[in-house]
Amino acid sequence: MPDDTGSPLAALPRAAAQAEAFRRRIDEGPQRAEDDYHASLARFDEPLPEGGRPATEVIDQLVARATPGLQKSAGRRFFGWVIGNSHPVGVAADWLASAWGQNAGNPVASPAAAACEAVAAQWLLELLDLPREASVGFVTGATMANFVGLAAARSAVLARVGWDVQAQGLFGAPPIQVLIGDDAHATVYSALQYLGLGHARVTRIATDARGAIDPAAFAQAVTHITGPAIVILQAGQINTGACDDFARLVPLAQARGAWVHVDGAFGLWARTSREHAACVAGIEQADSWATDGHKWLQTPYDCGYAIVRDARAHWDAMSINASYLPVGQGERDPSHYVPELSRRARGFATWAMIAHLGRRGIGALVEQHVRVARLMAARLAQAPGVEVVNTVVLNQLIVRFGTDRPADEADRLTRATIARLQADGEAFAGGAQWRGRWVMRISVIGSETHEAEGERSAQAILAAWRQVRAQPSA
Ligand SMILES: *Cc1c(COP(=O)(O)O)cnc(C)c1O
């Protein structure tokens, strides 16, 4: 135990040093976890310890066991899922949130956490150019942000017909019609399921080749709204980046009295760039929005925002009241906007990232990622047998390999190319099915991913494809 003075505080500088070493070397070696789950489990698996271990030894052991199983999501050549970089400034602020031991549950338990959230909330509304009177809940991610937005929607549309869902629940309540695009994110269905709205009783609306709602089908569907209704739109389809035509669809839905909720986990951030804001024009007319901090804003996991135009509906759906909890006068009470009471103070990391990048820096990051996505699409599309399936509108591209062969064969070659790329480790991208066919998904979201990394990664993908193509079985 080299520098352990016996104080548990020795764990803090040790963790900082280990973290810095990890981040300094992240671009070296394979851009993937070296251990799979089972190998990782074998490293951690040991009997419950009877006695304790010194602070720094615990941290060192944690690092030694975890490191081989850490995904390189914070690196520059990582294009898997849609995973932001856990920017060092956001991480440092988040460490402080933990080290300070603050409970963001109410403004007395942590005046600073509540106040910082209040300011970060206003900054977010300005950045995303949403109604300034909207309320913001700091949640774990877009899944819970969708849950909160849809809970406010459920409460409001039922209140309009005289039903108090908070008090009476859904038994005997007037039915709520839910309309949703066919290419919505899986987590929206989870939110519907948690809220008793069901994931199977929704009306699914046809989408176009890009995954955006077909306006004609939408116009037809809203004519069937007869009572309380919630319409769910999307900014940034997970595979194609497509955004619904908000300027056209939102007024149609609202004219029928529906509440419009938007899942804008990453797509909402197009608002921060003059160049790309047009993709989501009209989105500000919606009633609630879900978005992530841990994607385009680069905060560490976990961080998302539930934004609701009608703060009262938000509050009705979420507020927690008990005699032992202080009732503020004009203070922000963070627990009134989220499902939890005790909660980590996510406002600190949000505040720090916005303070670090500024409005211009955030818009520039969005523009950088769209440029890199377009560059990668252009490189890949030039190669024989490779097809970029979508038109790149934001930071997402999907690619198929072996498109000069029958479709089943192209499926196999596409999966083999993804596996080859991951095994080589020069860059990381995953796969998905799009319109029933396998594609490689490339999501450009890392804060340090510039053109040079895009170029290098596109060459690595093409190298993987050439190897797959050259195999005898191909
Ligand atoms: C990532 C994502 C989600 C889920 O967000 P989490 O942060 O994982 O909870 C929902 N919708 C879309 C469009 C997404 O990209």
Side-chain angles (χ1 to χ4, degrees):
M1 289 175 285
D3 62 348
D4 192 10
T5 57
S7 164
L9 288 177
L12 299 179
R14 191 65 145 240
Q18 293 276 19
E20 189 182 349
F22 175 78
R23 293 297 286 259
R24 281 195 189 282
R25 289 196 300 266
I26 194 158
D27 297 321
E28 299 165 14
Q31 295 301 297
R32 58 168 154 76
E34 288 168 42
D35 276 1
D36 65 5
Y37 167 79
H38 298 285
S40 213
L41 185 62
R43 287 184 201 276
F44 278 104
D45 194 18
E46 64 173 313
L48 169 70
E50 288 300 331
R53 295 167 221 187
T56 53
E57 195 181 314
V58 170
I59 298 305
D60 289 347
Q61 285 183 0
L62 177 62
V63 169
R65 287 165 199 217
T67 302
L70 296 179
Q71 194 57 272
K72 300 288 179 69
S73 357
R76 301 162 194 245
R77 283 172 280 128
F78 189 87
F79 302 92
W81 303 282
V82 193
I83 293 188
N85 254 176
S86 290
H87 191 288
V89 171
V91 171
D94 191 59
W95 277 351
L96 289 170
S98 291
W100 288 334
Q102 298 300 286
N103 182 338
N106 71 61
V108 180
S110 182
C116 185
E117 264 193 19
V119 170
Q122 276 309 309
W123 284 3
L124 284 167
L125 295 176
E126 279 190 49
L127 259 177
L128 300 170
D129 196 14
L130 294 176
R132 307 300 190 264
E133 72 277 15
S135 50
V136 183
F138 289 65
V139 291
T140 50
T143 305
M144 284 314 287
N146 280 320
F147 169 80
V148 172
L150 292 170
R154 182 183 72 162
S155 175
V157 300
L158 287 178
R160 286 179 208 152
V161 293
W163 187 269
D164 178 351
V165 72
Q166 278 71 239
Q168 304 302 328
L170 285 175
F171 299 100
I176 299 176
Q177 286 174 280
V178 177
L179 282 67
I180 184 169
D182 228 357
D183 288 300
H185 197 270
T187 59
V188 180
Y189 290 94
S190 304
L192 289 170
Q193 182 178 314
Y194 308 151
L195 287 162
L197 296 172
H199 64 241
R201 61 179 284 289
V202 299
T203 303
R204 293 176 70 132
I205 305 174
T207 47
D208 61 17
R210 305 169 301 139
I213 288 177
D214 172 36
F218 187 85
Q220 178 60 32
V222 294
T223 63
H224 299 294
I225 293 177
T226 52
I230 301 171
V231 167
I232 302 171
L233 305 180
Q234 175 167 257
Q237 207 283 333
I238 192 79
N239 293 313
T240 64
C243 300
D244 290 329
D245 185 349
F246 303 104
R248 201 155 154 195
L249 306 188
V250 177
L252 286 176
Q254 287 173 342
R256 305 292 303 190
W259 175 294
V260 179
H261 172 79
V262 180
D263 175 9
F266 63 93
L268 189 55
W269 294 83
R271 299 278 285 175
T272 64
S273 153
R274 274 212 197 106
E275 220 176 294
H276 302 298
C279 293
V280 290
I283 201 171
E284 72 284 355
Q285 298 173 56
D287 298 288
S288 55
W289 305 262
T291 195
D292 269 313
H294 54 221
K295 288 177 183 168
W296 243 330
L297 189 58
Q298 314 290 334
T299 69
Y301 282 79
D302 49 21
C303 189
Y305 314 110
I307 307 174
V308 183
R309 175 192 297 279
D310 177 355
R312 180 73 217 186
H314 194 170
W315 199 89
D316 283 345
M318 291 291 140
S319 70
I320 301 173
N321 300 293
S323 61
Y324 80 99
L325 298 173
V327 178
Q329 269 144 21
E331 293 111 338
R332 174 186 174 84
D333 190 324
S335 75
H336 290 336
Y337 306 100
V338 297
E340 302 91 347
L341 178 58
S342 299
R343 184 172 56 82
R344 86 179 284 98
R346 298 188 188 91
F348 292 132
T350 301
W351 180 90
M353 283 314 302
I354 301 175
H356 180 60
L357 296 173
R359 189 206 293 269
R360 272 202 307 278
I362 294 167
L365 198 56
V366 168
E367 287 160 18
Q368 167 192 326
H369 291 150
V370 180
R371 273 199 314 275
V372 174
R374 288 187 176 145
L375 177 145
M376 293 180 75
R379 289 295 177 277
L380 296 173
Q382 279 165 8
V386 180
E387 185 196 338
V388 176
V389 177
N390 64 320
T391 305
V392 178
V393 286
L394 287 176
N395 58 339
Q396 305 293 127
L397 55 146
I398 45 177
V399 191
R400 250 168 96 70
F401 298 85
T403 49
D404 45 1
R405 319 271 179 97
D408 287 345
E409 185 61 6
D411 273 348
R412 190 183 67 74
L413 293 167
T414 299
R415 298 182 75 178
T417 304
I418 295 166
R420 185 73 257 161
L421 177 75
Q422 292 184 1
D424 289 349
E426 178 70 7
F428 186 99
Q433 286 199 331
W434 178 249
R435 304 293 184 242
R437 291 295 169 191
W438 280 96
V439 290
M440 175 186 281
R441 285 189 71 253
I442 297 173
S443 188
V444 184
I445 191 84
S447 51
E448 296 304 319
T449 303
H450 295 274
E451 277 87 340
E453 287 77 26
E455 186 72 62
R456 180 170 165 185
S457 303
Q459 295 310 327
I461 292 165
L462 291 174
W465 162 233
R466 281 192 296 270
Q467 286 180 61
V468 165
R469 182 163 221 174
Q471 271 156 20
S473 59

